[in-house]
Amino acid sequence: MTEWGLAALVVWPLLWGALTLVMPVRWAALPGVLGGVFFGTWVLTWAPQSVALGGWLPPLGLSWRLDGVSQFMIALVAWVGGLSSLYAWWDRSLPSAFWGLWLGVWAAMNALLLTADVFHFYVTLELLSVAAVALVALTPGPAATRAAFRYLLVSLTGSMLFLLGVALLYGRYGVLDMLLLRDAMQGDGITALALAVMTLGLMAKAAVFPLHGWLPQAHAKAQTVVSAVLSALVIKAGLYGLLRLWLDLFAPLTSQPDSQAGWVLALLGTVAIFWGGYQAFRTPALKPLVAWSTVAQVGVLVLALALMVEATTRDSDGLTETLWRGWVWLVAAHALAKAGWFLAAGTVQKRAGETRLAGLGVALQRSPLSVFAMALAVVSLAGLPLSMGFLGKWWLLSLAWELQAWLWLAVSLLGSLLTLAYGWRVLNLGLSTGHGAEPLTPQAPLQTVPTRLDAVALILSALSVLGALGGYWYWEAGA
Amino acid sequence: MTALIAWLGAGLITLGLMFFVAGTVGLLRFSPSINRLHALTKADTLGLGLVVMGLALQAPAVAVALKLVLIWSLALVSAALVSHLIGQSLCAQRRDP
Amino acid sequence: MIWLDLMLVGLILGLAWRCVHAIELMEAVVVFVALGMLVALAWARLQAPDAALAEAAIGAGLAGALLLATLRQLPAQAVRPQPLHWLWWGLWGLFGVTLLWAIGSILSTPVSLMPWVNTHLPEAGVSHPVTAVLLNFRALDTALELAVLLWAWMAQRALGESPDTSFHPVQGRVLATAVKALLPLMGLVAVYVLWRGSSAPGGAFQSGAVLAAAWLMLWLADLPGLDPRRWSVRLGWLGGVMVFFLVGLLGLVQGIGFMGYRPDQATGLILLIESAAALSIGLLLASMVLASLPGIKGRRA
């Protein structure tokens, strides 16, 4: 039965997405989204397993592997994607082409999270990039088209680099299955080169500093719901790939006691935290601020990866339950908070008909739900106590503590502080009553935007805080 | 006998290649586009025809030789068609501005 | 033969250089098409005729048509390539040298999955190893590649209509007559390439490219052909993906596993998938080119 479910994770959204070309779009989108959420939730109840597709065992065939990481990531895609779809359903300004493209992104994400084959991973990356780039290009106007084109070029280069790595691995080991590759892996130059180019490719896709240049434009110019799913989910595809490479596929290489490669990742993550935070602090417009925040948060996730790699070099247990559970938790907190923040920011911008923070004051004050959503998102992203993000940060800090990596511990604390600083820029506008004694008056009449859009954003942000309540079930009962 | 046929084939291919070279030189050196077209079609029809004939002589079976001839005749049709279209486009451009 | 190969490599590198550094976009496109043909030759020299066919038909032919069609919509302009900083040259040079070294050391220890493929070829339902891998052993790869094509078309549609600029109408009946005469032959070739794929180089992508060319010629000759408003055409776009995945689910019903076939049905099912895929690929590729050509709406309305 679960094999039906696994197949449905990919086939269901894909077929309904394709059907949007011949059916009334929303009629195809509704079952596609509902089914996607259903199967993505159901996946949590299945036992971890491997499935050889078509009955052809690796190395000949390709196989799917469902383990804890992919289970929770698929469920995350389903929930964040489902709630974002609700927003899209109510967003009247969204072109109908969104639905087919978005269901394609969904199917590609699920296939990417399931696959245990490096070449198939590349194929899913390709489908994901094509659909994601088109989503950015949905916004009319040359600025968005330019941003989408830049995203396309970076994304394609990333794919090509990844493919090059796959070719090197195949040439060296003659297999494509991740488990077989890991067992055969030697510490030679070709393998290291493959790791380097594949990491570079995925870093471009995940917008890891210094390859983040495309992200602020692409995510800020996209339609509101597109920004949310790109920042919350699509970026995570690259990060998930990095996790698989560094802690699973190339583990024999990266977990050698004298391996220092992890520190390169840690350094890049650190620079990303500060540079992204600094840019978010000084950018004049709201959505670019949220987009730069994504650059910074990707830095946090990469730093966490680096610490995990370092942890595996110290003891030989490999990717332990504690390690991946912590990282996935951090990813989930960021995904929920970022989706909530982007949806709220987009709603406010729509209401104001304006993107610059300076002109948003009135719209912010007339959108209490959205301001509340942004506040909760900032709380979770900064990792303030009792939020979901707090548990993630706590795990990260205790990992750094165990490793006695004081520098990185300080970095992640400072990153939280920066998050509060740029988050406060927005919240301050929404909470203050005016500049000095003068009451705020709208420069232009506000657009009517239904309140239920604010409500969806609030649900996502609230989940990013209240998710902490699931902590016991996730950390203790699962272990 | 086979050696003779082989030599004949090689000679025909060489001759065909010479037409290709001449056609390419024409394509590069002639100035109005109509003249270039003229040079090009010489290479395409005569040059390719000679090469095909040379190859057909060396072909291991009659079926292969017939396939080569089919390729040549298709190339003939497409060359004529494309030249016709390019010519039309040239005429139209001359009238337009 | 080594000298010919080196010449080929030199030509490919030279053309690639020229393509990137061409001042005029038109020149870049023409050079790109020529480059595609030479790359196809290189594939043929590497004894990969399947890849050679696909590269010639799609990489050079249809990609060239797409680029030319797009070029017509751009304002006439010359692009001056930015000179590359010496640091970049150094980095790329280092990367190239490293890659050459890596490829060199891979060549000394050849490993591949070919033994496995050959062992299981009798159960695959087709006798051509490439088709067996693409349509049976790693069928999901191919199915998702088809989806990539479909989503690329979806993306193009989402980007909106092309601006409407005029064409020179073709005078006389020469083109229409020739196209009418050639059409049955093109159909025959498409079917032949598809059918041949089960035992020799060929298959859905190559056959689809031939079909796409046939549809494009119909359109060029102003004959009734491809109208995206027709239901059959819209269904044709997704037919390949739909049939592929539905057959994949059939494998689940039969207990073989997702994307699997019962060995005695494999031949027929693969042929079914390939036929649907070839039609879809042809329709999608032709639609992509037609949608980029200016004036499509005016002529069909």
Side-chain angles (χ1 to χ4, degrees):
Chain A
M1 200 59 211
T2 52
E3 206 182 337
W4 276 94
L6 285 176
L9 280 174
V10 177
V11 177
W12 187 271
L14 200 72
L15 288 192
W16 287 107
L19 281 173
T20 56
L21 283 173
V22 290
M23 282 171 67
V25 171
R26 292 193 163 213
W27 291 16
L30 187 65
V33 168
L34 291 179
V37 173
F38 172 71
F39 291 118
T41 313
W42 194 19
V43 80
L44 288 175
T45 67
W46 302 338
Q49 56 192 295
S50 274
V51 176
L53 293 179
W56 302 111
L57 287 171
L60 179 63
L62 46 85
S63 68
W64 277 345
R65 180 166 42 139
L66 187 73
D67 59 7
V69 185
S70 40
Q71 249 171 341
F72 283 110
M73 295 285 285
I74 288 171
L76 180 69
V77 172
W79 279 89
V80 175
L83 283 168
S84 305
S85 305
L86 186 64
Y87 184 99
W89 189 266
W90 284 332
D91 184 358
R92 279 164 303 176
S93 60
L94 199 63
S96 63
F98 165 80
W99 291 102
L101 295 169
W102 157 232
L103 286 170
V105 165
W106 198 333
M109 285 291 292
N110 281 348
L112 178 141
L113 293 167
L114 278 176
T115 189
D117 184 281
V118 278
F119 182 76
H120 195 67
F121 194 94
Y122 159 77
V123 175
T124 59
L125 271 182
E126 209 179 348
L127 181 58
L128 185 65
S129 317
V130 167
V133 168
L135 279 178
V136 174
L138 278 183
T139 313
T145 311
R146 206 173 298 129
F149 191 65
R150 196 160 167 199
Y151 181 24
L152 177 73
L153 291 184
V154 173
S155 200
L156 278 185
T157 313
S159 295
M160 286 301 116
L161 283 171
F162 189 87
L163 183 61
L164 182 62
V166 172
L168 287 172
L169 284 180
Y170 181 68
R172 174 70 180 80
Y173 298 106
V175 284
L176 291 166
D177 184 76
M178 288 188 192
L179 290 177
L180 294 175
L181 270 175
R182 190 182 62 189
D183 292 341
M185 196 130 306
Q186 309 281 325
D188 56 15
I190 297 180
T191 315
L193 182 64
L195 174 63
V197 288
M198 288 165 100
T199 302
L200 215 57
L202 289 176
M203 274 169 53
K205 285 188 178 287
V208 179
F209 186 91
L211 303 174
H212 64 283
W214 58 271
L215 184 140
Q217 283 295 312
H219 286 193
K221 294 278 187 277
Q223 300 270 0
T224 302
V225 64
V226 173
S227 311
V229 293
L230 288 189
S231 242
L233 303 177
V234 174
I235 291 293
K236 305 298 187 299
L239 289 169
Y240 169 82
L242 285 176
L243 172 86
R244 279 271 180 255
L245 291 191
W246 281 78
L247 287 147
D248 194 2
L249 182 59
F250 288 91
L253 220 70
T254 52
S255 66
Q256 275 163 14
D258 57 338
S259 155
Q260 302 294 322
W263 297 125
V264 181
L265 283 186
L267 194 68
L268 294 179
T270 304
V271 182
I273 291 173
F274 290 124
W275 180 243
Y278 170 69
Q279 289 289 344
F281 190 70
R282 55 180 293 269
T283 182
L286 179 54
K287 270 177 81 180
L289 184 152
V290 189
W292 275 111
S293 149
T294 300
V295 173
Q297 299 300 326
V298 164
V300 174
L301 292 170
V302 170
L303 179 62
L305 272 182
L307 290 176
M308 287 157 77
V309 170
E310 181 60 19
T312 57
T313 62
R314 307 235 174 139
D315 61 50
S316 52
D317 294 348
L319 183 58
T320 57
E321 183 106 0
T322 341
L323 284 181
W324 70 251
R325 276 190 188 256
W327 192 77
V328 171
W329 182 268
L330 209 56
V331 165
H334 174 253
L336 288 164
K338 193 42 68 66
W341 197 354
F342 254 127
L343 291 184
T347 314
V348 171
Q349 283 195 1
K350 220 171 282 175
R351 200 162 275 143
E354 160 85 65
T355 58
R356 298 172 59 82
L357 269 176
L360 285 178
V362 177
L364 277 168
Q365 289 177 9
R366 303 275 167 83
S367 325
L369 290 183
S370 275
V371 173
F372 191 31
M374 291 195 232
L376 289 181
V378 171
V379 164
S380 187
L381 284 179
L384 294 192
L386 302 183
S387 70
M388 192 179 176
F390 171 70
L391 287 188
K393 272 275 158 65
W394 184 255
W395 162 80
L396 182 62
L397 293 179
S398 46
L399 182 61
W401 187 274
E402 274 168 35
L403 297 173
Q404 300 177 326
W406 312 122
L407 181 61
W408 312 118
L409 197 144
V411 163
S412 48
L413 281 177
L414 281 173
S416 289
L417 217 57
L418 257 173
T419 310
L420 279 181
Y422 59 71
W424 184 250
R425 285 186 68 204
V426 186
L427 300 180
N428 184 33
L429 270 178
L431 298 177
S432 67
T433 48
H435 301 296
E438 247 176 289
L440 278 172
T441 47
Q443 287 96 331
L446 293 184
Q447 313 282 319
T448 47
V449 178
T451 320
R452 49 192 181 198
L453 294 183
D454 306 73
V456 178
L458 183 58
I459 293 175
L460 276 161
S461 295
L463 279 177
S464 82
V465 172
L466 297 177
L469 295 177
Y472 175 75
W473 166 76
Y474 182 81
W475 295 93
E476 303 297 329
Chain B
M1 188 60 195
T2 27
L4 189 69
I5 288 179
W7 276 107
L8 195 62
L12 283 171
I13 292 173
T14 318
L15 201 62
L17 288 183
M18 277 161 62
F19 273 96
F20 267 104
V21 173
T24 311
V25 171
L27 178 70
L28 292 175
R29 301 289 301 169
F30 287 177
S31 69
S33 297
I34 287 274
N35 292 358
R36 292 179 165 191
L37 210 55
H38 176 81
L40 189 63
T41 40
K42 284 296 153 293
D44 250 14
T45 15
L46 209 52
L48 187 65
L50 287 168
V51 170
V52 161
M53 218 189 288
L55 286 175
L57 279 180
Q58 298 175 346
V62 182
V64 179
L66 284 179
K67 274 185 204 166
L68 282 167
V69 173
L70 183 67
I71 289 173
W72 181 57
S73 51
L74 281 176
L76 272 188
V77 173
S78 71
L81 200 55
V82 168
S83 308
H84 172 73
L85 289 178
I86 293 177
Q88 275 209 6
S89 167
L90 288 173
C91 287
Q93 273 173 19
R94 201 174 300 166
R95 246 183 292 121
D96 261 358
Chain C
M1 231 32 206
I2 184 74
W3 290 109
L4 278 181
D5 286 345
L6 283 178
M7 216 164 84
L8 193 60
V9 169
L11 273 172
I12 286 175
L13 289 179
L15 279 181
W17 177 266
R18 190 70 199 258
C19 182
V20 175
H21 281 262
I23 303 285
E24 279 194 43
L25 283 178
M26 180 72 187
E27 184 190 343
V29 171
V30 172
V31 172
F32 179 80
V33 172
L35 177 69
M37 298 313 284
L38 286 179
V39 171
L41 267 184
W43 281 120
R45 285 291 302 145
L46 289 168
Q47 287 158 21
D50 293 88
L53 276 174
E55 174 67 38
I58 296 176
L62 276 154
L66 264 176
L67 288 172
L68 283 175
T70 312
L71 202 58
R72 269 189 73 101
Q73 297 176 39
L74 296 178
Q77 59 170 354
V79 279
R80 190 150 301 278
Q82 301 282 324
L84 217 52
H85 196 269
W86 60 267
L87 210 66
W88 282 110
W89 281 115
L91 272 177
W92 282 115
L94 200 68
F95 187 55
V97 171
T98 321
L99 268 187
L100 275 181
W101 161 81
I103 290 165
S105 48
I106 282 173
L107 286 180
S108 58
T109 52
V111 279
S112 86
L113 287 173
M114 258 335 256
W116 273 280
V117 174
N118 286 329
T119 316
H120 291 279
L121 203 51
E123 310 149 48
V126 287
S127 57
H128 184 48
V130 174
T131 311
V133 170
L134 288 182
L135 269 301
N136 199 339
F137 302 144
R138 299 178 63 94
L140 192 63
D141 276 345
T142 315
L144 281 191
E145 285 293 353
L146 269 183
V148 170
L149 193 62
L150 181 62
W151 258 264
W153 167 233
M154 226 186 257
Q156 194 186 348
R157 268 168 62 96
L159 282 173
E161 303 279 334
S162 316
D164 218 18
T165 50
S166 67
F167 253 104
H168 297 298
V170 179
Q171 312 263 316
R173 304 291 304 157
V174 175
L175 181 63
T177 315
V179 169
K180 273 183 198 164
L182 284 176
L183 215 59
L185 193 63
M186 294 188 81
L188 189 69
V189 170
V191 172
Y192 171 70
V193 170
L194 183 74
W195 177 254
R196 206 178 124 85
S198 63
S199 60
F205 268 91
Q206 293 87 344
S207 169
V210 176
L211 283 178
W215 270 308
L216 285 176
M217 280 175 60
L218 271 182
W219 180 81
L220 282 173
D222 213 5
L223 293 167
L226 203 63
D227 185 348
R229 283 164 304 183
R230 280 219 311 262
W231 267 85
S232 49
V233 171
R234 288 167 161 247
L235 271 180
W237 289 334
L238 29 142
V241 171
M242 295 297 247
V243 169
F244 213 141
F245 279 109
L246 291 180
V247 171
L249 291 177
L250 181 72
L252 263 180
V253 176
Q254 293 176 332
I256 312 291
F258 180 51
M259 301 311 272
Y261 319 98
R262 255 175 53 189
D264 56 325
Q265 296 171 348
T267 312
L269 288 176
I270 287 178
L271 200 64
L272 174 72
I273 291 172
E274 287 225 272
S275 313
L279 272 176
S280 275
I281 292 165
L283 278 171
L284 285 170
L285 291 175
S287 300
M288 281 176 183
V289 179
L290 287 189
S292 339
L293 279 170
I296 171 83
K297 274 177 84 182
R299 280 184 63 180
R300 274 290 162 259

